[in-house]
Amino acid sequence: MSSSDLDVKDQGLMQIASDDLNDNAKQLHGTTDTNRVEADVTFKAYMMCAFASFGGIFFGYDSGYISGVMGMEYFIDTFQKDQRDKPKSEKSLPSSRKSLITSILSAGTFFGAIIAGDLADWYGRRLTIIAGCFIFMIGDILQVASSSLGLLVAGRLVSGFGVGFVSAIIILYMSEIAPRKVRGALVSGYQFCITLGLLIASCVNYGTEKLNTSASYRIPIGLQLLWALILGIGLFFLPESPRFFVKKGNVAKAREVLARLRDQPLESPQIEDELAEIVANHEIEKKLIPQDSYWSSWAACFEGSITNNSSNLRRTILGMSLQMMQQFTGVNFIFYFGTTFFQELGTISNAFLISLITTLVNVCSTPISFWTIERFGRRTILIWGAIGMAICEFIAAIVGTAKEGDKNAMKAVISFICIYIFFFASTWGPGAWVVIGEIFPLPIRSRGVGLSTASNWFWNCIITVITPYMVGTDQGNLGAKVFFIWGGLCTCCIVYAYFLVPETKGLSLEQVDRMMEETNPRGSAKWRPTTTYAQEVGLVDAAKADVEHKV
Ligand code: BGC
């Protein structure tokens, strides 16, 4: 993109001659009314969009079951044969083996999420998710069948690719099909399923850990096949994203799937208006972000200046850094290391119970976001959520450090950790996923979401690797002081959200694109659209526009 194009884009003045339009697009008639850029939706249509959130179960269950399984006696005996003769209480896997088994999945998900971005543009969002379910099942079967480390690790790597496909493209798919007024709530449903997955994993582990057969680990691993089957088969019956067909230039197909998604007749004027808007926006973006080759379409994600709010580079950095900051809140410290940490504090009799409680608080608090994310907006809840988390973490750090070993003080620390989880689950948990699905323009959306999801897995993995060194009694042994670090990082999240995250609530994805061009994050909540893309590219029939204006 030339710098003059960028200037024009900055000023929101980009015009496109109707002669430049794709032939199919020229037949469309859009609206000049900024409130009519999306068709009405029926209950059935809401349900279709909501189904995809089920994909979150993969993510949560996969993150949740492995630490428990690695502590199971039969699993240790199978994958670390030199432990067989030790008494039960002394058996454990060496850290390097634990780290390999845990992190190999993140490696798979990291690359899976990036590759999935390409596939979603070539073959469609829906097919990429179905392929992810299939790959995941192959990996899972290898893991269930394994009784040697090599096969287990290979299985986890393959499954990781599948989880990467699913976790990135579900967000893309849901953001593209959901109606704008409930898009945040529906994508938060995905986060809710993540939390359910974590909960189911701890319950299944609890149920099978006492078995002294290979079923103790094969059941928790094998159960995941069910999630893949439900999601894969369910998606088979759902329509593709209309934005995918628009990107492919197939307007007729886009109309067909949009009508199914909104549960309206093909020839409905509302479908016509919504489609015209998506097409017009894409025609403008295509002109601004030409993608002549495979590499240039990747390069497009990094184009523009970092100081420009709406440049592709800025959006890519925003998506990737938002996911990084979500990991920096320290939430996975509680979910991955909670049990060990509470045991090491020494004053808690049933550490497992406490981690079950934190997992339950996570599940029960997430639905609050279905309402708050649409009522107060993404930006607001991210700022207030970070404030809430930082306060709780500093209190936990101060009380835990000043009154080390005091039973009542530890109860207070645990209560504040639960309130911290409440803040995470109702704000940053869903918020980070919702925002990455909304900030990218169509030409780079699938890759942008893929890169952002990969960043989540990357930082998730880094935290998994370094945390034991911070709190391990034979290492940094920080104890409750570790919450000073998480509290400090949450303080950075406040500043980050205030200066960098724009408000996207209630806008169509095309209007988000325009908002980012016309204002900065701090002014974004007040921004309102004044024109439609259809109007700009001349896809409005004059008689219709006249009637709309009179109304
Ligand atoms: C995060 C995960 C975390 C989970 C907890 C997700 O949004 O990305 O890393 O384990 O929330 O609910």
Side-chain angles (χ1 to χ4, degrees), residues 467-493:
T467 311
Y469 294 99
M470 302 200 291
V471 288
T473 36
D474 52 344
Q475 306 279 341
N477 197 13
L478 284 179
K481 287 193 209 75
V482 72
F483 288 109
F484 281 116
I485 300 184
W486 301 127
L489 287 169
C490 278
T491 311
C492 299
C493 289

Side-chain angles (χ1 to χ4, degrees), residues 45-120:
Y46 281 124
M47 288 300 102
M48 283 205 276
C49 302
F51 172 78
S53 62
F54 181 80
I57 296 250
F58 273 77
F59 186 143
Y61 189 89
D62 227 287
S63 324
Y65 86 88
I66 194 66
S67 67
V69 162
M70 286 190 303
M72 290 179 186
E73 188 178 7
Y74 200 88
F75 185 87
I76 301 174
D77 286 349
T78 310
F79 295 98
Q80 188 68 37
K81 303 214 165 28
D82 61 2
Q83 302 278 307
R84 280 191 179 163
D85 301 327
K86 289 190 176 169
K88 191 176 171 194
S89 57
E90 285 174 25
K91 286 184 184 180
S92 79
L93 287 178
S95 306
S96 58
R97 198 149 276 202
K98 274 193 196 162
S99 166
L100 172 68
I101 296 175
T102 316
S103 55
I104 194 75
L105 185 111
S106 314
T109 44
F110 176 84
F111 292 109
I114 295 179
I115 297 170
D118 274 341
L119 298 180

Side-chain angles (χ1 to χ4, degrees), residues 159-174:
S159 291
F161 270 93
V163 180
F165 276 40
V166 173
S167 56
I169 308 306
I170 283 275
I171 293 292
L172 173 67
Y173 178 66
M174 291 190 78

Side-chain angles (χ1 to χ4, degrees), residues 59 63 191 194-195 198 323 326-327 331-332 335-336 362 424 428-429 433 456 460:
F59 186 143
S63 324
Q191 169 70 14
I194 296 183
T195 65
L198 282 163
Q323 290 291 340
Q326 193 216 41
Q327 292 300 311
V331 68
N332 285 326
F335 291 128
Y336 296 169
N362 195 25
F424 174 86
W428 275 77
W433 294 107
N456 176 291
N460 187 323

Side-chain angles (χ1 to χ4, degrees), residues 3 14 69 90 181 188 365 372 390 403 449 454 482 485:
S3 62
M14 187 67 201
V69 162
E90 285 174 25
K181 296 222 171 67
S188 300
S365 319
T372 52
K403 301 237 168 193
V449 176
V482 72
I485 300 184

Side-chain angles (χ1 to χ4, degrees), residues 343-355:
Q343 270 158 2
E344 282 168 4
L345 283 180
T347 39
I348 312 291
S349 51
N350 192 343
F352 175 80
L353 187 68
I354 309 282
S355 17

